[in-house]
Amino acid sequence: DSGVTQTPKHLITATGQRVTLRCSPRSGDLSVYWYQQSLDQGLQFLIQYYNGEERAKGNILERFSAQQFPDLHSELNLSSLELGDSALYFCASSDSHKKSSYNEQFFGPGTRLTVL
Amino acid sequence: GNSVTQMEGPVTLSEEAFLTINCTYTATGYPSLFWYVQYPGEGLQLLLKATKADDKGSNKGFEATYRKETTSFHLEKGSVQVSDSAVYFCALSERHELNKFYFGSGTKLNVKP
């Protein structure tokens, strides 16, 4: 158990709909990262938040947005869903604010999104 | 910019065979290097890590050495087991980027009994 939780575990919805994925980082971790894993594109970095502020953007579509709340949990919002958005969405957290030589990311179990 | 390149899969081996999965990187600074493993139906788990040149990370019989001169971090195991079947990801991060990770494309390993 990495200490990172994600809900829901599975989500099935229709094209054009909007969904929200939720992530709670490990206790004490200020950084949250979102990734998309699809069969044909591997693991794609979407976005990073640090203590409530956006810090880095990757291959995130304009239809997608995220935020990190004062209690440090994060939500990824996916709107106008398309069939191609079907994928595993992972959240990860790290203690990047600490002066440590080890800065690994801890991954949650993922949310499997199926768009029909 | 930063990037990670790892060998294409899938890699299929018989039990007790020797494993090498190649990983090379490009980095602007002095990155930390990682191998993550993803078992079927699960999230990524850290397998091993190395934070500076010539460091060797090891865990569960897997090893990888941080080679700055060849910008490589190849994963090795002397004798694989069926339970090692998974997808392996090489990754790097630089602290000045607040731990933004750069992942390789993943290498699927199939071990047959």
Side-chain angles (χ1 to χ4, degrees):
Chain A
D1 185 353
S2 67
V4 178
T5 60
Q6 290 186 248
T7 57
K9 192 172 177 62
H10 299 281
L11 198 49
I12 301 174
T13 189
T15 54
Q17 296 298 304
R18 172 190 169 93
V19 296
T20 298
L21 312 183
R22 183 188 169 102
C23 167
S24 293
R26 287 190 322 153
S27 177
D29 284 357
L30 298 185
S31 284
V32 170
Y33 311 78
W34 285 98
Y35 295 87
Q36 179 193 59
Q37 186 179 39
S38 55
L39 279 176
D40 59 346
Q41 291 196 350
L43 195 66
Q44 299 287 321
F45 167 70
L46 295 178
I47 197 164
Q48 175 194 359
Y49 277 82
Y50 174 74
N51 201 20
E53 294 187 1
E54 180 187 304
R55 294 308 294 261
K57 260 188 175 179
N59 301 320
I60 188 166
L61 300 172
E62 285 192 11
R63 299 184 285 109
F64 296 0
S65 65
Q67 57 185 131
Q68 186 179 26
F69 295 86
D71 67 352
L72 300 177
H73 91 272
S74 178
E75 293 181 356
L76 179 67
N77 300 297
L78 314 177
S79 61
S80 303
L81 284 168
E82 301 175 359
L83 295 178
D85 298 327
S86 296
L88 267 171
Y89 291 85
F90 288 106
C91 167
S93 73
S94 76
D95 60 352
S96 54
H97 62 294
K98 294 182 183 174
K99 292 184 179 179
S100 166
S101 59
Y102 299 123
N103 49 1
E104 64 189 270
Q105 290 187 7
F106 296 85
F107 280 76
T111 293
R112 181 172 292 281
L113 173 66
T114 302
V115 182
L116 301 176
Chain B
N2 295 338
S3 67
V4 174
T5 303
Q6 59 182 106
M7 63 189 287
E8 297 264 344
V11 174
T12 302
L13 296 173
S14 297
E15 208 165 20
E16 299 184 3
F18 184 86
L19 168 71
T20 299
I21 299 178
N22 290 337
C23 171
T24 57
Y25 68 90
T26 302
T28 54
Y30 300 94
S32 297
L33 301 175
F34 305 82
W35 276 101
Y36 278 80
V37 58
Q38 184 180 28
Y39 297 104
E42 298 184 11
L44 278 72
Q45 304 172 24
L46 180 68
L47 180 60
L48 54 83
K49 58 194 172 190
T51 59
K52 61 182 187 298
D54 299 326
D55 270 2
K56 178 186 281 188
S58 61
N59 185 26
K60 299 181 182 179
F62 291 89
E63 292 183 342
T65 301
Y66 188 162
R67 301 282 188 205
K68 191 167 182 289
E69 64 276 13
T70 55
T71 61
S72 64
F73 193 55
H74 304 321
L75 182 68
E76 296 182 337
K77 186 174 185 182
S79 175
V80 294
Q81 306 300 311
V82 172
S83 58
D84 294 326
S85 297
V87 181
Y88 293 81
F89 292 91
C90 184
L92 73 81
S93 76
E94 296 202 73
R95 197 185 325 214
H96 71 273
E97 292 190 288
L98 276 182
N99 291 4
K100 179 181 176 182
F101 267 48
Y102 298 83
F103 281 91
S105 55
T107 301
K108 185 171 184 179
L109 171 65
N110 296 316
V111 180
K112 297 187 174 181

